[in-house]
Amino acid sequence: MLRQRKRVDIVKSLDAFPQIREKYTKTTKIGGTLSIISRTVILYLIWKEINYYLESKLIFRFTPDADLDTKLQINIDLTVATPCARIGADILDTTHQNVFSFGSLEEEDTWWELDGNQLTHFQYMKHLNSYLREEYHSVAHILYKSDSRNYATMPERMVKPDRPFDACRIHGTLTTNKVSGNFHITAGKSIHFPRGHIHLSSIFDDTPLNMSHRINRLSFGPMMPGIVHPLEGDEKIIEDSTTMAQYFLEVVPTDIYNFLSVTKTFQYSVKENSRPINHDKGSHGIPGLYFKYDVSALKVIVRYDRDNLAQFIVRLCSIIAGIVVISGFINYILQLIWGFFHPDVESASNGKAHSVETL
């Protein structure tokens, strides 16, 4: 016990900070006002510094994609102006696997014409995505810092027309190999073989089809802010039933490093082409919709440009210490000025304090 007291005394003797007894200190209105102001300024600067640390600018960097084991998630939600019984959706990749073993797409009979709330929703999505495609480079930093956009979900139909179905909604999520592939919608249902597949109705049925389509959602990977999907909100009216509509997609892996997590997703660019099928003129193929995607060998890394946590803490401490020192200096100057212009008040105050001390 005695040794512990000696150790405490030794530690106390090493204290180099000045300790002023409370009876030797004097509070003033100027000091109290400056204390309130300085603490308010400190809290405000700390709040601004934290916001600056969390909202630092973004850095985009390209690097070779060496993550070959990652799967490719495809999110699909589109409507074709033909009943589901007459068309079929299928997807194949370069490994010749039936990728529907990794998920399934639902075919839902519906009507091509949208009701009031659906039309409002789709028009909003169409105009917004059109603006984002044109102005993406000027608003990219804002998009990556915003909340996730969930407008890609079409609202339920409120009024059902009193007529047969004339369209087919195809929607769902597939998880495929991260290789090139071809998602297509053509006439007839498909039958798969080890090295491919065939659409039966396209052989026996020559009835013209309406392949006009409306894309509500077509994306790769999980939804993330900052990613603009160019085909969402797109609508194509196809008058000729022999038209092959092709979309060539370049899918780019994208890693987004947030404050405490990393999200792996994908973004893509697209080129469009439409041509009528005429075997007599050498334009061969099968009418329908074809989304041919290829995965880029490069990936984009998105990071926040911010200091490490230790530097952030040091900067906060320097802000607090700087405000305290400056406020103390201002308090000293104001006290001198006050004493110079009010010497009587200062003398009376000192005399009163002296008499109290003498007693």
Side-chain angles (χ1 to χ4, degrees), residues 138-200:
S138 60
V139 298
H141 288 74
I142 299 176
L143 291 176
Y144 273 98
K145 296 176 183 178
S146 63
D147 295 330
S148 300
R149 294 174 288 118
N150 56 0
Y151 60 78
T153 302
M154 178 69 75
E156 295 292 333
R157 183 182 294 272
M158 302 299 295
V159 179
K160 296 183 179 180
D162 188 14
R163 64 174 184 272
F165 298 113
D166 58 1
C168 181
R169 179 192 174 199
I170 301 172
H171 59 97
T173 298
L174 301 175
T175 304
T176 70
N177 301 305
K178 200 172 72 172
V179 294
S180 302
N182 181 4
F183 168 67
H184 51 273
I185 302 173
T186 58
K189 305 301 180 182
S190 62
I191 296 180
H192 289 269
F193 297 98
R195 302 292 294 179
H197 68 282
I198 186 173
H199 289 260
L200 291 179

Side-chain angles (χ1 to χ4, degrees), residues 217-234:
R217 184 180 184 188
L218 183 61
S219 62
F220 297 85
M223 293 290 292
M224 285 295 297
I227 305 295
V228 176
H229 308 292
L231 287 178
E232 292 183 354
D234 193 29

Side-chain angles (χ1 to χ4, degrees), residues 44-245:
Y44 175 75
L45 292 179
I46 290 177
W47 176 69
K48 295 294 291 184
E49 189 68 24
I50 292 175
N51 285 340
Y52 176 78
Y53 182 76
L54 296 178
E55 298 181 4
S56 300
K57 66 179 182 179
L58 296 169
I59 295 179
F60 299 88
R61 184 168 61 90
F62 288 90
T63 184
D65 184 20
D67 192 2
L68 303 179
D69 297 331
T70 304
K71 295 296 183 179
L72 182 63
Q73 176 182 317
I74 306 177
N75 310 300
I76 300 169
D77 187 356
L78 56 87
T79 303
V80 182
T82 298
C84 295
R86 301 184 57 196
I87 59 175
D90 206 348
I91 183 169
L92 290 176
D93 60 17
T94 53
T95 61
H96 300 287
Q97 297 184 40
N98 175 15
V99 296
F100 280 124
S101 60
F102 299 103
S104 62
L105 294 178
E106 297 183 16
E107 296 181 357
E108 178 184 336
D109 282 309
T110 184
W111 295 271
W112 173 254
E113 182 181 357
L114 298 175
D115 67 359
N117 64 328
Q118 289 180 326
L119 181 60
T120 301
H121 170 86
F122 187 79
Q123 290 294 336
Y124 167 76
M125 183 174 62
K126 180 178 180 180
H127 291 303
L128 179 60
N129 257 3
S130 176
Y131 171 79
L132 293 179
R133 288 194 294 266
E134 296 174 1
E135 304 293 338
Y136 175 75
H137 293 288
S138 60
V139 298
H141 288 74
I142 299 176
L143 291 176
Y144 273 98
K145 296 176 183 178
S146 63
D147 295 330
S148 300
R149 294 174 288 118
N150 56 0
Y151 60 78
T153 302
M154 178 69 75
E156 295 292 333
R157 183 182 294 272
M158 302 299 295
V159 179
K160 296 183 179 180
D162 188 14
R163 64 174 184 272
F165 298 113
D166 58 1
C168 181
R169 179 192 174 199
I170 301 172
H171 59 97
T173 298
L174 301 175
T175 304
T176 70
N177 301 305
K178 200 172 72 172
V179 294
S180 302
N182 181 4
F183 168 67
H184 51 273
I185 302 173
T186 58
K189 305 301 180 182
S190 62
I191 296 180
H192 289 269
F193 297 98
R195 302 292 294 179
H197 68 282
I198 186 173
H199 289 260
L200 291 179
S201 297
S202 62
I203 301 176
F204 305 105
D205 189 1
D206 294 331
T207 305
L209 299 177
N210 185 355
M211 298 306 294
S212 299
H213 54 281
R214 182 186 300 118
I215 301 175
N216 190 56
R217 184 180 184 188
L218 183 61
S219 62
F220 297 85
M223 293 290 292
M224 285 295 297
I227 305 295
V228 176
H229 308 292
L231 287 178
E232 292 183 354
D234 193 29
E235 183 180 67
K236 289 288 187 300
I237 304 299
I238 300 178
E239 303 290 346
D240 189 355
S241 61
T242 64
T243 299
M244 173 188 284

Side-chain angles (χ1 to χ4, degrees), residues 318-335:
S318 63
I319 290 174
I320 297 173
I323 297 297
V324 171
V325 171
I326 292 174
S327 62
F329 178 74
I330 294 175
N331 178 59
Y332 177 75
I333 297 297
L334 292 178
Q335 292 290 348

